[in-house]
Amino acid sequence: MPFWLELLICACLILGSLFALVGAIGLYRLPDFFTRLHGPTKATTLGVGGTLIASMLFFAHHTGSLSLHELLITLFLFLTAPVSAHILAKAAMQQKVELTERTQGQPWDDDH
């Protein structure tokens, strides 16, 4: 395997791992549901995407042909993660989940 390809794969893996770590720390440390929702939907999605791109590059070199499985997984992940986060946020607004005092942008009341 060429050295530049190994460096590219390692960079994708390290970058993906760092994004996944930041997403996991955000999920653990952020104070309420709405702020915790950003960890898995933003950073962790990019982390899994980086790991899948590294996998796609690695197996494309070893098999000699481009495998679209990883690309399709990445595409579906980038499409479904924001949609599921939106649905979770709407359900939490409907249930009137408690917010911390520091959370800005309060959801609309029923009066408006």
Side-chain angles (χ1 to χ4, degrees):
M1 179 180 298
F3 182 70
W4 64 269
L5 186 59
E6 287 182 8
L7 280 178
L8 183 62
I9 291 170
C10 288
C12 286
L13 285 173
I14 290 172
L15 194 63
S17 299
L18 287 176
F19 273 116
L21 178 65
V22 167
I25 290 171
L27 181 63
Y28 177 72
R29 298 276 313 213
L30 292 171
D32 66 359
F33 176 80
F34 292 103
T35 56
R36 274 189 210 125
L37 198 56
H38 290 284
T41 56
K42 308 276 189 299
T44 308
T45 302
L46 289 174
V48 172
T51 305
L52 285 170
I53 289 171
S55 173
M56 184 176 68
L57 292 172
F58 179 79
F59 286 110
H61 179 266
H62 277 284
T63 61
S65 64
L66 187 63
S67 172
L68 296 178
H69 293 99
E70 290 93 349
L71 190 61
L72 286 174
I73 292 169
T74 305
L75 177 70
F76 289 137
L77 180 70
F78 278 104
L79 288 175
T80 58
V83 172
S84 63
H86 178 73
I87 291 171
L88 285 170
K90 293 290 266 185
M93 286 174 53
Q94 195 99 21
Q95 295 291 321
K96 296 186 169 109
V97 173
E98 288 187 34
L99 304 172
T100 60
E101 296 172 4
R102 296 184 307 168
T103 302
Q104 297 178 355
Q106 303 293 325
W108 286 74
D109 292 330
D110 293 336
D111 303 339
H112 292 99

